[in-house]
Amino acid sequence: MTAKIKQAITDFVKGGDNSDTKLLDKVLHKDFRVTNNGFMGTSGVTVIDKEKYLANVRDGIFGGLPRTMIIENIDVSETIASVKLRLESSENQFVSYNSLVLDTDNEWKIISNLAVVTKKSNI
């Protein structure tokens, strides 16, 4: 079970890194949402649905940069799971909490991504 969850998370990250909307569409639940507080320098909470997220990846607003990934924690309870990640690209650092559900097709899908993204300083 944990291996399938790790694969879903890896596909999510690699799909973003490679701007692969087909891979992302496969791994994201139909009701997927990204929630970010302080999104790209804005104040307050921003929520983005699956359709807008995929459009942003396709249009080059999100993704396109390879990131290193460290899975810090996986917590599974039957048909739900939570995964904490740390990601780093050449420009940004991310802390990402992801909620997954075991969907009706017996595949793990990401339903929620709660992320903090910070620009790396050029010291």
Side-chain angles (χ1 to χ4, degrees), residues 39-97:
F39 179 68
M40 294 186 157
T42 63
S43 62
V45 174
T46 302
V47 179
I48 300 168
D49 66 13
K50 180 179 179 178
E51 184 179 324
K52 180 66 173 168
Y53 180 80
L54 291 174
N56 284 348
V57 170
R58 183 181 56 249
D59 296 342
I61 297 167
F62 295 164
L65 287 175
R67 297 172 289 180
T68 58
M69 175 180 77
I70 298 170
I71 296 176
E72 290 196 350
N73 185 48
I74 297 177
D75 188 11
V76 184
S77 203
E78 296 183 31
T79 59
I80 60 173
S82 176
V83 179
K84 180 182 178 186
L85 301 175
R86 288 198 183 270
L87 302 161
E88 188 170 326
S89 72
S90 60
E91 296 178 358
N92 299 303
Q93 295 174 320
F94 306 76
V95 176
S96 177
Y97 292 86

Side-chain angles (χ1 to χ4, degrees), residues 28-34 48-50 103 110-112:
L28 300 178
H29 188 273
K30 65 181 179 64
D31 295 317
F32 171 79
R33 299 284 184 273
V34 174
I48 300 168
D49 66 13
K50 180 179 179 178
D103 211 355
I110 300 169
I111 196 162
S112 173

Side-chain angles (χ1 to χ4, degrees), residues 7-23:
Q7 188 60 57
I9 290 294
T10 300
D11 288 349
F12 175 56
V13 171
K14 294 303 173 197
D17 292 355
N18 299 321
S19 301
D20 186 343
T21 56
K22 287 184 181 179
L23 181 59

